[in-house]
């Protein structure tokens, strides 16, 4: 069995940003993604949170390493300055590299 | 504190496949799993998605490395040809290895 | 683009424990977390599960490596003996290290 190294990029942001983030994923070359609602608090604590206690979304996408870097670069340049969001990258191994 | 290397296998599939995947997890030797609903689009894009925009499920399971490989092998042999699904493996470290 | 190595600690426990776990996260120095409901079965199987089929929660937190170890240590010392829960650590790379 061959497993192929890829990156999973996870983005946690306000729900109103979901469409824009998904558009950016597609522009970067992502072939698919998953999204689901999460609760949480963010950098400034629960009271005055810039990421509020409700209505956040986690978006996960599997990408080839070079595309993951391109996506993170664009997130940083285009969205991070203006929005409360978190993005991180994890090493994963997938069965079917042609799907990503 | 001792942390023990394990694999987390994540499977994203149509909800109607959940029972069959969970049965396969148990047959492979998994001691437990989590599942939750996700939205998303898949390989062929949002319009004609083989993974549709609704009613998908993400199933996560922690396994010893050899069992993770056996699970991925069975997913590939028994389900991947017929269903739209994604599976990947992540390195994790757990506190209590006897639970997995 | 600089990515910074961090740990993601994931805790899966009964929903009634969420507040106590989140308090522990804050005491350990976490700047934020996400939480979402999951279904699943645990160590003793679906019938007599100590982690029951409903009402579990997954809590994810990104931490500096030393804080992740401190958190896992406290989870082990203060909660693991008395509660059905799972905790694991994953290597991640983040864009903005000052947020964690």
């Amino acid at each position: 069995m061959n497993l192929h190294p890829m990156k999973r990029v996870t983005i946690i942001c306000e729900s109103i940003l979901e469409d824009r983030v998904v558009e950016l994923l597609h522009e970067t070359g992502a072939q698919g993604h998953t999204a689901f609602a999460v609760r949480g608090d963010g950098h400034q604590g629960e009271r005055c949170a810039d990421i509020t206690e409700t209505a956040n979304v986690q978006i996960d996408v599997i990408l080839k390493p070079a595309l993951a870097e391109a996506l993170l670069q664009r997130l940083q340049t285009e969205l991070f300055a203006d929005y409360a969001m978190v993005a991180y990258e994890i090493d994963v191994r997938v069965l079917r590299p042609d799907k990503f």
Side-chain angles (χ1 to χ4, degrees), chain A:
Chain A
M1 187 181 54
N2 283 323
L3 290 173
H4 304 269
M6 295 275 169
K7 303 291 183 185
R8 189 186 101 177
V9 175
T10 290
I11 301 139
I12 299 157
C13 62
E14 294 168 75
S15 294
I16 52 161
L17 263 187
E18 181 176 343
D19 287 350
R20 185 151 166 203
V21 169
V22 169
E23 197 184 334
L24 203 153
L25 300 184
H26 287 160
E27 287 172 13
T28 312
Q31 303 283 340
H33 74 281
T34 58
F36 54 98
V38 296
R39 296 172 285 113
D41 53 10
H43 186 226
Q44 301 170 344
E46 220 160 306
R47 289 284 160 68
C48 51
D50 50 1
I51 294 184
T52 60
E53 177 67 28
T54 54
N56 287 338
V57 66
Q58 177 168 331
I59 301 166
D60 293 331
V61 58
I62 309 284
L63 290 165
K64 292 185 180 66
L67 294 185
E69 188 168 346
L71 172 61
L72 288 164
Q73 186 72 65
R74 286 197 60 184
L75 286 167
Q76 185 171 42
T77 309
E78 299 174 29
L79 292 174
F80 266 38
D82 297 326
Y83 296 97
M85 56 196 307
V86 166
Y88 57 86
E89 183 189 84
I90 301 177
D91 292 321
V92 302
R93 286 173 300 282
V94 304
L95 275 174
R96 299 196 282 194
D98 55 301
K99 292 199 72 171
F100 304 102

